[in-house]
Amino acid sequence: MAKALHRLANPARFLRIASPLLPWIAAGAAVCGGLGLWFGLVGSPPDYQQGDAARIMYVHVPAAWNALAGYAGLAVASAIALVWRHPLALVAARCIAPIGACFTVIAIATGSIWGHPMWGTWWVWDARLTSVVVLLFLYLGYIALLHAFDEQETGERAATVLALIGAVNLPVIKFSVDWWNTLHQPASILRFGGPSIDPAMLLPLMLMAGGFTLLFAYLVIIRMQTELARRRVMALRRAALAVSQPGDA
Amino acid sequence: MTFVRAVVERDLKLYMRGVVDLIGVWMFFGIAIAMLPLSIGPDPDILSRIAPGAAWAIALLASMLSLERVFAPDQLDGSLDLLLLHAPSAHVLVLAKGFAHWLVTGLPFVVLAPVAAIALGMELRGVLPLAGALLIGTPALSLIGTVGAALTAPLRRGGILAALIVLPQTIPVLIFGTAAVSETLMGRDSSAYFSVLGAFTLAALALAPYAGNAALRAVRS
Amino acid sequence: MVDTSKTSARMTDPAGASSDALVVTNLSCVRGERALFSGVSFVVPGGSALLVTGPNGSGKSSLLRILAGLLDAEDGNYRTPERGAFARSVGYLGHANSVKIRLTVRENLRFWARLAHAEPAVEPILQRVGLDRFMDMPAGWLSAGQLRRLALSQLLIVDSRLWLLDEPAANLDSGGESVLQQELARHRSAGGCAVVTSPTDIEMTDAQRFELTGQ
């Protein structure tokens, strides 16, 4: 059973499927991002309250969505790694983490820049900003634990457990932070009764969201390819060492 | 049950033989509280407003300081292997370790934190709610902390890392723990917050043994 | 002597060994991306001992930790003996001594005795390993050899059928070594079995030998 799964998780198979996809993902990210930027910066009206400043939303919101989706991906990969001991899932999880953390930093930075004209200050302890900061700490804790051990495998297993604890706790944290801060704006895209946002703004937002997601996937696959190649190099070097020094393991 | 009692009593004895470290934890709490008026200014209005929250947050930080002593020494000298061999299950060991940790870094703050909060100007009627919230909430902190300690058990200097990975997980306890006190002080019905706090501790009691078991299995070698 | 119907009922596993034996079948172990050993099979019947030798990093400790249930094997399986007349099935003496230097010698042993429900045995066992004079001293005052004896006493007090001893002679003085040999002999004559690791081939009366070569 476990062995059958290991065959499915074969890195060579992953590379065979992922490598030809990669250029298409890159092209998709470029097209979505390019169109999204054009519609966002030129082809859409300024916000009637916030003016042109609101256009940063086309970067901020997709980054925040991907930061959250990245953590979900991290948790799913960790669950697969823990339950089915899927070796590729461990590689996926460790490759998602730094990219998710970067998207989180982008979301925080753009949120802060957006907040400056709106609130007159660079930072407000509003529920969503605070949640994203907590998300960043979850990512950073995962990365720190991943690299804290001498043996790479031990770090991966420990970080896997931490990612799942975080995934279970994240809704509770989100609920607590929301409750703690009732001053936040209502989430306007997924609000009950349909989107309240103007369609002219929704189109670039969705394009940018698609572009960011494809970019995220592109970066994760590149990192996974690199990580698999690195492991292969390590294995080859170890094998070479064993050949050159027989009997001295 | 024999196992839990034996482990808790042994851990307490070990904590007490190294009581200087524990006193350090309690002193950290006192000094950090004293730093607040020195940094924020002695304005009684501000200090009394932040008193319960400051006491909670600093008690939380202080209790993280001793996570390094939950599993790491046992891992280092090999006792952890024997404990796991003797334990009815690793889940029970996690509970026993969490309980011992709570006795030395949770329970003391049930007394110390209200004293500190009063020193910062909290009204006397806040004492019982603050002590109660800490009594209900700190077991969750120790249990979550024990899982973090398990994840960092083989690391030589795992204390800071343990705190780093545990603190974000304790945010809900901190939020509802402080809200329970401040709502009471504002004269509002705060029983719901105490209930939520109790729910967190019960959830931690139910889940931490599994998480701790998974953590111990993950880092063993 | 033995009721034959009972014996045959216990002879259920393919190796044909009875329930008082340790049976290891095709065990393999991978640490990190390195295979430590694979296809390890042996049977250690009650009353006998197995000496596992091999260079550092060949997986001796990992083998014992797998048998103790502290580590998962990559493949293969093993069956530890039923405890029978013993208090427990498996006892383990690791590389580290599991000694708390802040507790006294007696307190150290009494803790493990409590877990094994064997508190009255504390003082006799400290006598057996020759630590009775140090009973109320902090364990931190002991020499390396004495600490190893204390670790050995923690194994003795549990009274388990299968002993897994990871380099038990390391740091042990010559007096301690003879204590170890005596206790092993006593354990085996009571029907217990043992797996002992050592970096080099050591003197062990009437023991099977198994060498891990490292791959």
Side-chain angles (χ1 to χ4, degrees):
Chain A
M1 176 66 188
K3 278 185 178 159
L5 275 166
H6 279 218
R7 264 202 297 281
L8 283 177
N10 189 337
R13 191 195 193 97
F14 163 77
L15 292 173
R16 212 164 50 236
I17 296 172
S19 299
L21 276 179
L22 208 51
W24 295 100
I25 295 174
V31 170
C32 281
L35 282 175
L37 275 181
W38 189 85
F39 278 113
L41 297 179
V42 183
S44 68
D47 189 89
Y48 77 100
Q49 276 179 325
Q50 299 174 18
D52 282 331
R55 293 185 199 277
I56 200 170
M57 153 179 95
Y58 302 124
V59 175
H60 172 73
V61 175
W65 281 348
N66 272 286
L68 201 58
Y71 198 84
L74 180 66
V76 169
S78 297
I80 293 171
L82 196 72
V83 177
W84 289 291
R85 302 180 154 248
H86 205 307
L88 200 58
L90 278 179
V91 176
R94 71 178 292 141
C95 293
I96 288 173
I99 298 167
C102 284
F103 276 64
T104 313
V105 170
I106 292 172
I108 291 172
T110 51
S112 171
I113 294 167
W114 189 6
H116 191 244
M118 277 173 63
W119 301 314
T121 162
W122 291 106
W123 191 259
V124 171
W125 287 98
D126 127 287
R128 270 187 296 174
L129 284 179
T130 310
S131 295
V132 177
V133 169
V134 175
L135 185 65
L136 179 64
F137 284 127
L138 290 181
Y139 271 122
L140 293 182
Y142 176 92
I143 295 168
L145 191 61
L146 185 66
H147 295 285
F149 292 83
D150 293 336
E151 255 187 77
Q152 177 175 329
E153 197 196 1
T154 313
E156 281 175 348
R157 284 198 307 257
T160 297
V161 174
L162 181 64
L164 289 176
I165 294 169
V168 170
N169 206 3
L170 195 56
V172 183
I173 298 175
K174 182 86 179 78
F175 155 76
S176 303
V177 171
D178 280 349
W179 178 87
W180 160 77
N181 190 324
T182 46
L183 300 170
H184 69 289
Q185 296 179 313
S188 47
I189 291 301
L190 300 172
R191 205 161 68 176
F192 191 68
S196 63
I197 178 171
D198 188 283
M201 295 162 106
L202 191 60
L203 176 68
L205 188 59
M206 287 302 157
L207 279 171
M208 287 299 279
F212 266 67
T213 309
L214 288 170
L215 177 65
F216 197 110
Y218 176 76
L219 292 172
V220 168
I221 292 172
I222 290 259
R223 280 188 69 90
M224 286 177 71
Q225 284 178 335
T226 313
E227 174 68 19
L228 289 171
R230 193 185 66 78
R231 286 178 189 210
R232 191 159 162 67
V233 169
M234 298 294 280
L236 287 174
R237 286 175 67 182
R238 196 171 283 140
L241 200 68
V243 169
S244 65
Q245 290 177 303
D248 187 39
Chain B
M1 219 46 225
T2 325
F3 177 82
V4 174
R5 262 194 70 177
V7 171
V8 170
E9 283 179 22
R10 162 185 172 269
D11 272 17
L12 283 184
K13 200 182 270 177
L14 285 168
Y15 280 122
M16 286 309 151
R17 297 279 158 94
V19 78
V20 179
D21 293 355
L22 277 189
I23 292 174
V25 169
W26 303 331
M27 264 179 64
F28 170 84
F29 176 78
I31 293 172
I33 291 284
M35 292 292 182
L36 286 176
L38 293 175
S39 58
I40 294 171
D43 182 346
D45 287 343
I46 296 176
L47 287 180
S48 67
R49 206 167 66 234
I50 65 166
W56 246 109
I58 294 174
L60 169 60
L61 290 177
S63 75
M64 296 295 119
L65 288 179
S66 56
L67 286 182
E68 217 169 24
R69 298 194 51 195
V70 176
F71 281 115
D74 286 336
Q75 163 85 33
L76 192 66
D77 66 21
S79 304
L80 188 57
D81 292 335
L82 290 188
L83 284 171
L84 287 169
L85 219 61
H86 281 284
S89 76
H91 309 77
V92 182
L93 177 64
V94 173
L95 279 182
K97 284 286 185 178
F99 184 60
H101 179 262
W102 178 73
L103 285 177
V104 292
T105 60
L107 199 52
F109 292 123
V110 174
V111 179
L112 289 177
V115 174
I118 287 170
L120 290 176
M122 185 184 74
E123 293 172 56
L124 274 180
R125 61 195 175 86
V127 168
L128 275 183
L130 179 55
L134 284 159
L135 191 65
I136 299 172
T138 45
L141 302 183
S142 282
L143 285 163
I144 302 170
T146 302
V147 177
L151 281 172
T152 53
L155 301 174
R156 275 194 192 272
R157 307 197 60 81
I160 289 176
L161 182 58
L164 178 69
I165 63 178
V166 166
L167 281 171
Q169 314 289 346
T170 61
I171 288 171
V173 178
L174 184 67
I175 287 176
F176 280 88
T178 49
V181 185
S182 54
E183 291 295 297
T184 311
L185 279 171
M186 281 191 272
R188 288 200 280 260
D189 177 23
S190 58
S191 55
Y193 308 115
F194 284 101
S195 304
V196 173
L197 209 53
F200 286 157
T201 289
L202 288 179
L205 265 175
L207 297 177
Y210 292 96
N213 176 42
L216 287 173
R217 292 175 69 89
V219 299
R220 69 195 177 174
S221 58
Chain C
M1 238 183 102
V2 182
D3 183 345
T4 42
S5 64
K6 257 189 193 165
T7 315
S8 61
R10 281 193 248 134
M11 306 263 279
T12 47
D13 75 278
S18 59
S19 65
D20 62 358
L22 166 71
V23 183
V24 173
T25 320
N26 233 344
L27 212 59
S28 63
C29 172
V30 175
R31 306 301 301 146
E33 279 162 37
R34 210 158 72 90
L36 286 182
F37 54 79
S38 61
V40 168
S41 302
F42 53 77
V43 176
V44 186
S48 68
L50 174 74
L51 178 66
V52 179
T53 56
N56 281 337
S58 59
K60 300 188 299 290
S61 297
S62 297
L63 174 62
L64 286 198
R65 296 176 65 75
I66 288 171
L67 298 179
L70 294 167
L71 212 60
D72 291 327
E74 181 74 7
D75 205 1
N77 50 58
Y78 63 94
R79 200 201 59 202
T80 52
E82 282 165 23
R83 68 181 180 89
F86 292 82
R88 292 178 65 102
S89 169
V90 181
Y92 173 71
L93 170 64
H95 218 279
N97 288 326
S98 311
V99 169
K100 293 289 171 197
I101 54 170
R102 277 174 168 164
L103 300 181
T104 66
V105 170
R106 189 208 301 267
E107 283 169 334
N108 264 294
L109 189 55
R110 199 161 59 195
F111 170 66
W112 303 109
R114 266 185 88 177
L115 299 189
H117 305 285
E119 283 177 277
V122 168
E123 292 182 18
I125 282 184
L126 284 176
Q127 270 164 16
R128 261 159 68 187
V129 300
L131 285 180
D132 45 327
R133 286 188 302 126
F134 306 94
M135 204 126 47
D136 293 307
M137 286 185 185
W141 293 6
L142 299 186
S143 69
Q146 289 165 333
L147 283 172
R148 201 62 184 152
R149 289 184 192 217
L150 181 51
L152 180 64
S153 73
Q154 292 170 359
L155 171 83
L156 295 178
I157 204 147
V158 183
D159 184 36
S160 16
R161 176 156 222 162
L162 168 64
W163 282 5
L164 302 167
L165 312 183
D166 197 358
E167 303 196 5
N171 288 328
L172 214 51
D173 45 277
S174 60
E177 250 176 73
S178 64
V179 170
L180 173 67
Q181 293 296 349
Q182 277 166 27
E183 293 299 339
L184 263 172
R186 184 204 288 242
H187 175 64
R188 288 169 62 180
S189 63
C193 51
V195 180
V196 182
T197 68
S198 168
T200 53
D201 197 4
I202 51 167
E203 192 58 45
M204 245 177 93
T205 39
D206 190 24
Q208 305 176 63
R209 281 172 162 69
F210 188 91
E211 199 185 348
L212 286 173
T213 48
Q215 293 176 344

